[in-house]
Structures are given as structure tokens and as C-alpha cells.
Amino acid sequence: MPTDRLVPVLATALLLAAPTHAQDAAAPEATTENDFALACAFDRECYDAEACAETAYEMTVSGRVGGMGAGVVLARATLSAVSGDVEVFGTLGGGTLFLQGGEGAARHYLAVTDGAARYSLHMAEGPVAITYLGACE
């Protein structure tokens, strides 16, 4: 699903609320029109300064948008891949979803515009950066 279809009706002022751990354990949150899910497939991997190579890296993105403003909303999501889950936050506006997050010595960044996606992982050790190019639907 292209990200421009993820923009909720902006006439309603919505606040993005992070659930507490107690709420998570008690019951799952209800699905709303502000929830979104993307399946991402990356076919190019660029490891630091080395040449890019083919890959078959995949992840899913599930989250919720909200907030208020003229065309830009806040986004909170989870990136899920074989390496684990990462909580991220960012914005959705002008047809582009920007997400960032991570903890410890690694940071994750995802940008999706019209289905085209770039995901990068930046690690303090090295330091090293890995970039993936592909698409999210």
C-alpha cells in the first residue's frame, strides 16, 4: 500500500499515545483507521564503503499515525526482521514516511516514498553503516 494512502483524515485532531507496559499485557490495542502495515523487500545491500550487492532482506513495518497539523502526522511503529524488532518513530507527510529508532549502539532509519524504500542501520562499533534499497507496500 503506498504511503500516501496512510494519511488519516486531518480534520480530526488525534494525539499519538504510547501504551504503557501494563496496557500491553492486559489486552491488545484495538485496530483503528490510523493503523498501518507495510511489507518491505530489499534487493540491494550496501555495506559501508564496499560496492553494493544483491540481497533478499525483508522486514515488516506495523504502526499507527496520529497528531494534528496541515499534512504531517506523527508515526510510531515496529520494524520486524529476522534480526528482531525495533521500536521507531517519525513522521508521515507529503507521501513520505520517515522512521528512526534503536537503542544501545545501533540506530535504524527507514524512508518510504511512493513505495520506494531505503533502510539503513548505523552501528557505533566500527563505526559501520549498512544500507538497503528496495520497496515497501
Side-chain angles (χ1 to χ4, degrees):
M1 166 189 319
T3 57
D4 59 343
R5 287 194 242 164
L6 297 175
V7 178
V9 177
L10 294 177
T12 305
L14 301 169
L15 295 175
L16 184 63
T20 65
H21 294 292
Q23 287 173 321
D24 285 342
E29 283 189 56
T31 301
T32 73
E33 66 182 20
N34 294 7
D35 292 337
F36 68 92
L38 299 171
C40 302
F42 300 95
D43 57 8
R44 302 291 296 165
E45 176 184 72
C46 308
Y47 185 86
D48 225 14
E50 297 176 12
C52 297
E54 290 184 21
T55 190
Y57 189 75
E58 296 180 346
M59 76 168 50
T60 59
V61 181
S62 57
R64 179 173 287 180
V65 296
M68 55 188 179
V72 176
V73 294
L74 301 175
R76 179 176 156 233
T78 303
L79 306 179
S80 299
V82 295
S83 55
D85 293 347
V86 177
E87 297 299 317
V88 294
F89 65 93
T91 59
L92 173 64
T96 299
L97 175 67
F98 283 109
L99 297 172
Q100 62 183 5
E103 52 187 57
R107 294 292 179 261
H108 303 257
Y109 300 92
L110 177 67
V112 182
T113 301
D114 296 328
R118 178 181 300 263
Y119 165 66
S120 62
L121 170 61
H122 299 256
M123 296 170 281
E125 189 173 328
V128 173
I130 304 171
T131 301
Y132 294 90
L133 306 170
C136 294
E137 299 180 347

